[in-house]
Amino acid sequence: MGLPFAFWQTSSSFTASTASFILNGVNEYISVPATTNLSFTDGVSDKPFTISIWINTSDLRYNRLIKKDSEYFIAGNSTTQWYMRIFTNSTNYVSVRMTTGHAEGQWQHIVFTYDGTYTLNGITSFQNYTDSVMLASVSAGSAGTYTGMVASSDIVQIGDTMTSNISYISIYDKQLSQSEVIELYSGGALFNISSSSFIGSCISWWRNDQTDDVTITNGVIDQVGSNNGTAQNMDISNIDNGNIPT
Amino acid sequence: MDFYIIEEENIQNFTPLMEQSYGHDNIYIRMSNDGTLGLMNFTNELAPIGYFSYTLGEIKVIMNSSNWNDEADK
């Protein structure tokens, strides 16, 4: 005999973001402990990766947003162009820069992708996007001889010297394709990355919103992996209600 | 929360005040390049007496000076 009522399986609930984190660019950041899956090397060669960021800033010039100190960082240059640097060490590194400046004071979706083959293919190993549009990228600020990244015990630091609002930051262990970046951009709205077609390549996704707790250790939750972050020098005033990409 | 520049020798004494200001102990004290000064935050009520408070705009300028900025790409 069947059950008297129909039981419907509800889809897993997803709480929409209503806030972003606002960081002062002085001494507020999210600290994520070093783990092997946030270093992109097998000890000999680089491995591909992608970093995706939603950001609203008017403080891009000369400032850094995210870094793993001796391995990689993303920052702005003097003309509001984003660039990413990857390091062999402090004197041997390469940088790739988007040739279009960032639109300050509005939300933008920034994605840097790397296929892991810089030592073979040079700058063409990077493909970078703003609001899902692939932008021309050039070499910038390189020094010495880059021979590949070296895994370190440095934390991943989200937030550094850039005053900004940040939202969904995610890291992948592959070079996302243009179609995947378009899916991630989702027409300019925040997107439940757990439902993406490439979720299997997502290492970590930090929402940086009202669902996180900035007052406790490991309160900035990695929605995909286990790389929870801890907000430093932050309190509830860092949760900026109503300020999200739309 | 205002910003205060504190001598290195006083940072340990004032750390509980900074933790109390935030209500938790996940705090980071940014040090000057020569290690003699640290950047701390306190509420007005808990700020140590005799120290000048800086606004965010003021402290951003100071943090961009050579004794505080450790970024290579200026």
Side-chain angles (χ1 to χ4, degrees):
Chain A
M1 186 172 147
L3 292 170
F5 303 104
F7 286 83
W8 300 96
Q9 181 176 359
T10 58
S11 60
S12 59
S13 61
F14 177 72
T15 303
S17 291
T18 59
S20 59
F21 282 0
I22 184 168
L23 304 177
N24 66 14
V26 174
N27 62 355
E28 296 171 345
Y29 65 90
I30 296 108
S31 169
V32 179
T35 59
T36 53
N37 66 4
L38 293 172
S39 292
F40 301 101
T41 175
D42 61 10
V44 177
S45 303
D46 287 348
K47 297 195 294 187
F49 69 96
T50 294
I51 300 177
S52 167
I53 299 164
W54 275 100
I55 184 164
N56 184 344
T57 183
S58 297
D59 191 34
L60 193 75
R61 292 175 179 79
Y62 301 118
N63 288 316
R64 295 185 190 183
L65 174 64
I66 183 170
K67 66 181 181 181
K68 194 172 193 307
D69 252 339
S70 56
E71 297 178 51
Y72 51 84
F73 72 68
I74 292 175
N77 75 358
S78 61
T79 56
T80 75
Q81 296 167 330
W82 288 100
Y83 69 100
M84 181 169 70
R85 179 165 297 170
I86 55 177
F87 293 85
T88 296
N89 54 44
S90 61
T91 55
N92 296 282
Y93 55 81
V94 295
S95 309
V96 60
R97 170 173 59 84
M98 298 186 195
T99 56
T100 301
H102 178 75
E104 295 189 292
Q106 65 186 56
W107 282 102
Q108 286 201 300
H109 184 226
I110 306 300
V111 180
F112 278 89
T113 80
Y114 174 49
D115 71 4
T117 67
Y118 180 83
T119 56
L120 295 173
N121 299 319
I123 204 69
T124 61
S125 57
F126 298 94
Q127 291 180 334
N128 308 308
Y129 305 82
T130 295
D131 290 347
S132 78
V133 176
M134 188 191 301
L135 298 180
S137 296
V138 297
S139 180
S142 302
T145 303
Y146 179 80
T147 56
M149 287 183 281
V150 179
S152 74
S153 59
D154 293 328
I155 65 167
V156 172
Q157 181 176 328
I158 301 170
D160 191 13
T161 58
M162 190 178 297
T163 304
S164 58
N165 278 78
I166 58 169
S167 186
Y168 291 18
I169 293 178
S170 51
I171 299 180
Y172 304 82
D173 62 2
K174 66 176 279 190
Q175 183 178 40
L176 292 187
S177 67
Q178 185 163 23
S179 63
E180 289 168 331
V181 172
I182 290 170
E183 180 181 348
L184 188 57
Y185 177 60
S186 187
L190 293 175
F191 171 65
N192 179 3
I193 294 170
S194 293
S195 67
S196 68
S197 64
F198 44 86
I199 184 60
S201 299
C202 186
I203 297 167
S204 292
W205 165 31
W206 302 277
R207 294 174 54 132
N208 306 305
D209 69 6
Q210 81 283 354
T211 65
D212 294 309
D213 189 338
V214 297
T215 68
I216 63 171
T217 300
N218 296 325
V220 181
I221 303 301
D222 180 352
Q223 303 290 323
V224 174
S226 56
N227 297 318
N228 293 340
T230 299
Q232 302 288 333
N233 295 352
M234 292 169 63
D235 58 25
I236 58 171
S237 68
N238 292 96
I239 299 174
D240 194 3
N241 290 309
N243 193 351
I244 57 172
T246 55
Chain B
M1 201 84 74
D2 286 333
F3 298 90
Y4 295 81
I5 293 175
I6 305 295
E7 305 88 346
E8 187 275 337
E9 58 268 27
N10 287 328
I11 287 175
Q12 190 171 359
N13 291 336
F14 294 161
T15 296
L17 295 175
M18 184 167 171
E19 292 174 345
Q20 194 176 343
S21 293
Y22 279 106
H24 60 76
D25 60 3
N26 293 317
I27 63 167
Y28 157 69
I29 299 165
R30 181 171 171 177
M31 300 300 295
S32 61
N33 290 340
D34 63 10
T36 62
L37 300 170
L39 178 64
M40 302 185 80
N41 297 83
F42 309 101
T43 60
N44 287 337
E45 295 77 14
L46 293 172
I49 295 170
Y51 288 88
F52 186 80
S53 68
Y54 296 90
T55 65
L56 175 59
E58 292 167 338
I59 208 69
K60 283 278 282 186
V61 174
I62 295 170
M63 293 299 109
N64 278 328
S65 66
S66 59
N67 193 31
W68 289 90
N69 181 16
D70 60 358
E71 309 298 346
D73 300 313
K74 282 289 177 185

